[in-house]
Amino acid sequence: MNEKPDLGALFGATNADTFFGLEKCDDFDAIDASSAFIGAPCATPYGSVGAYAQNGPSSLRKAIASLTANIDRHNFDLGGPTFPKGTKRAVDCGDLSWSETDFASNRQVIRQCISKIVARDVVPILIGGDDSVPIPMIDALADTGESYTILQIDAHIDWRDSHMGETHGLSSTMRRASEMKHIEKIIQIGARGIGSGHSDDFEDAKNWGVKFFTGFDVYRTGLTPVIQEIDIDSKIILCIDIDALDPAITPNTIGRTPGGLSYYQVLELILAAADRGHIAAVDFVEIMPEMDIDGIGGLNVSRLVAATMGIIARQQAKI
Ligand SMILES: [Mn+2]
């Protein structure tokens, strides 16, 4: 047999151009959902590599297409259907428009979209795109007048002040966030190996007050100390760079680094954020299907996104 069997055919999946076969939403001003899948192919890329993760959002829609007929089935990671009775479903807002040359405009498009969605009490799930995409998302939350904790799950700390002359690129995300008045706490989990960060950047972050739990810390002590650091009733921005996960399960990324988190460890952190606090916004970034191996990364990331939608649906319905 040369052709691989099709799981979607086994389940009766239909062709869907949205994530998980969710309803499409084109009007941010009228959006009515628990959360919203928003594709952001590009914000502020470095000139040397360009918009290398632009196919991330479409790759996740494709990766979960086999389950479009199963959206109401039991998800054993959640203890029920993804969207149980009494909850609102998520929607898919498609991909935001973007330019390869006008980065300020890319950031403005993301910022405006997030500001409108959160004003309607919908939790954005921004799908990148490289790790510069969250900067305007985090900035947009200033419009609510609330204060936030960032839970950043990433192999890299992203505290460069500038890299290759760019201050809003993917290596500066947490430093830019730290400069925003509405960000009161940052917890960073999963840093490991060698990235673009310098020891000075790490010192600056610690001096700001960042609570760090490295990949090695999680390996040695588990997640309990991390979860205890999440303040009760805090409003949380979840910044998930998929290179936080082990490259064995998310090879679909440019920054593969040995020693990453497992699927369940990341899921437990997302559950803990909703359990102790309130998830206000989410991003999943650095998704690069060209790097994937037999669809393994798309599988793991798309299922984590779907589980996140289920966790947020329960949070929004207070069940
Ligand atoms: Mn990273």
Side-chain angles (χ1 to χ4, degrees):
M1 192 164 85
N2 293 324
E3 300 227 334
K4 292 176 185 170
D6 178 2
L7 184 68
L10 181 68
F11 287 153
T14 51
N15 279 335
D17 57 357
T18 62
F19 184 82
F20 215 176
L22 291 166
E23 196 181 322
K24 210 178 182 106
C25 174
D26 300 315
D27 184 1
F28 299 140
D29 293 308
I31 189 167
D32 183 23
S34 48
S35 66
F37 182 108
I38 304 151
C42 176
T44 318
Y46 295 127
S48 59
V49 282
Y52 61 79
Q54 62 180 279
N55 296 317
S58 57
S59 75
L60 295 195
R61 294 188 182 98
K62 201 170 154 208
I64 205 165
S66 64
L67 288 185
T68 53
N70 296 42
I71 193 165
D72 293 321
R73 302 288 169 88
H74 198 89
N75 183 338
F76 283 85
D77 292 343
L78 301 175
T82 302
F83 304 107
K85 219 172 166 205
T87 66
K88 279 185 193 176
R89 283 194 179 198
V91 292
D92 185 340
C93 295
D95 290 357
L96 298 173
S97 60
W98 61 284
S99 157
E100 248 166 303
T101 52
D102 189 350
F103 307 154
S105 158
N106 293 341
R107 293 193 291 267
Q108 191 60 20
V109 167
I110 294 170
R111 199 193 186 289
Q112 278 175 353
C113 156
I114 299 298
S115 187
K116 281 185 182 181
I117 285 178
V118 298
R120 293 188 58 84
D121 201 24
V122 178
V123 179
I125 303 178
L126 193 67
I127 305 293
D130 73 32
D131 204 349
S132 64
V133 158
I135 298 175
M137 178 186 84
I138 298 166
D139 189 39
L141 289 164
D143 297 352
T144 65
E146 306 276 0
S147 295
Y148 295 91
T149 293
I150 292 179
L151 203 62
Q152 186 235 27
I153 307 172
D154 195 326
H156 312 98
I157 67 168
D158 298 345
W159 267 80
R160 296 298 308 277
D161 189 35
S162 85
H163 183 62
M164 296 177 169
E166 176 57 66
T167 57
H168 283 72
L170 61 99
S171 299
S172 306
T173 308
M174 287 300 114
R175 188 183 288 265
R176 293 292 87 79
S178 76
E179 295 163 351
M180 299 176 193
K181 285 196 174 63
H182 61 292
I183 302 306
E184 61 181 0
K185 184 169 184 174
I186 303 179
I187 306 168
Q188 299 193 226
I189 306 126
R192 62 191 194 274
I194 304 170
S196 69
H198 297 231
S199 298
D200 287 353
D201 299 322
F202 185 45
E203 288 306 313
D204 287 351
K206 284 191 288 187
N207 289 335
W208 185 90
V210 174
K211 307 292 180 190
F212 280 104
F213 299 90
T214 66
F216 214 165
D217 290 337
V218 173
Y219 166 77
R220 280 189 286 227
T221 59
L223 290 175
T224 304
V226 185
I227 291 168
Q228 284 168 348
E229 200 56 65
I230 302 170
D231 294 326
I232 303 298
D233 291 336
S234 54
K235 293 182 168 54
I236 296 167
I237 305 170
L238 270 175
C239 294
I240 303 173
D241 180 331
I242 67 160
D243 66 31
L245 290 135
D246 195 81
I249 59 169
T250 56
N252 52 335
T253 195
I254 201 169
R256 295 174 182 171
T257 313
L261 305 186
S262 72
Y263 173 87
Y264 278 126
Q265 285 173 325
V266 175
L267 186 63
E268 187 165 6
L269 288 169
I270 299 167
L271 280 163
D275 182 41
R276 291 175 68 90
H278 181 93
I279 299 172
V282 184
D283 68 71
F284 286 87
V285 296
E286 296 288 326
I287 303 155
M288 200 177 167
E290 296 81 356
M291 292 287 288
D292 209 355
I293 298 172
D294 204 22
I296 294 296
L299 169 73
N300 281 293
V301 177
S302 65
R303 301 294 173 93
L304 266 181
V305 171
T308 303
M309 288 175 167
I311 292 166
I312 293 171
R314 288 161 173 77
Q315 167 189 279
Q316 298 297 80
K318 298 186 171 61
I319 59 171

